[in-house]
Amino acid sequence: MTYETLDDDLVNELLDNGRASLRSLAEELDVSVTTVSNHLSDLEEEGVIEGYTPKVNYDELGYDVTAIMQLKAEGHALPEITETLRDHRQMISVYEVTGDYDVIAIGKFEDTDDMNDQIKTLITDPDINQSNTSIVLNTVAENEQFELETDDD
């Protein structure tokens, strides 16, 4: 193990198993536990690693419908609209984007009635000029992260 790639290798190990212990990470990376701990602390301080969260299977929790909303909005209202969407508990992603629409939001819903009720409430803002909602038919990949390239690869 070379220290030049240690941070990337550490991130990649955590992507594979976010619950790995410092000891198992140290063994896998062939460095001391103290080295792993120090590098991990640095990565957290630098904002590279922002937290450790579980991957939730929303289908198993009864949220069977995923909807993608595309919104055109008045420019001055964009911050307020995105904040409203962000604060909505069932929106899992909100993006300001370029192109035909200004905002893309992805939400999880129990069923189409739940989705319909929630979206109607969300898009009643008069500063939303147009909306387009798509229902996901099949999830191919979701919440995927990619490994960092290292010189070892």
Side-chain angles (χ1 to χ4, degrees):
M1 160 61 44
T2 61
Y3 282 97
E4 294 87 43
T5 63
L6 181 59
D7 288 346
D8 290 349
D9 291 335
L10 181 55
V11 168
N12 288 338
E13 289 297 321
L14 290 170
L15 285 170
D16 188 46
N17 179 6
R19 295 183 67 176
S21 68
L22 293 177
R23 182 176 313 286
S24 67
L25 290 168
E27 288 173 6
E28 187 65 36
L29 299 172
D30 196 28
V31 295
S32 72
V33 171
T34 302
T35 298
V36 167
S37 178
N38 289 340
H39 279 258
L40 193 55
S41 293
D42 290 346
L43 290 167
E44 290 170 348
E45 257 181 50
E46 294 166 8
V48 173
I49 296 174
E50 295 182 340
Y52 304 86
T53 59
K55 288 184 180 178
V56 176
N57 184 333
Y58 287 99
D59 290 341
E60 291 297 320
L61 293 173
Y63 293 90
D64 295 330
V65 175
T66 300
I68 301 170
M69 297 187 328
Q70 301 173 73
L71 306 173
K72 284 186 182 179
E74 293 294 330
H76 68 86
L78 201 53
E80 184 180 327
I81 290 168
T82 56
E83 193 62 31
T84 298
L85 289 165
R86 182 177 189 233
D87 289 345
H88 190 279
R89 74 176 191 84
Q90 288 174 243
M91 290 297 140
I92 59 169
S93 300
V94 177
Y95 305 97
E96 288 184 25
V97 297
T98 61
D100 292 337
Y101 291 91
D102 302 306
V103 177
I104 294 181
I106 302 171
K108 299 285 189 176
F109 304 94
E110 293 175 2
D111 53 35
T112 53
D113 289 337
D114 178 39
M115 177 202 67
N116 200 23
D117 292 344
Q118 306 256 356
I119 289 176
K120 281 181 181 175
T121 301
L122 287 169
I123 62 172
T124 57
D125 188 316
D127 289 319
I128 295 176
N129 299 329
Q130 185 178 351
S131 69
N132 180 30
T133 302
S134 298
I135 297 174
V136 173
L137 297 176
N138 181 34
T139 302
V140 177
E142 188 171 63
N143 300 321
E144 295 295 322
Q145 298 194 56
F146 59 90
E147 287 194 359
L148 304 176
E149 289 187 26
T150 64
D151 294 336
D152 294 346
D153 293 343

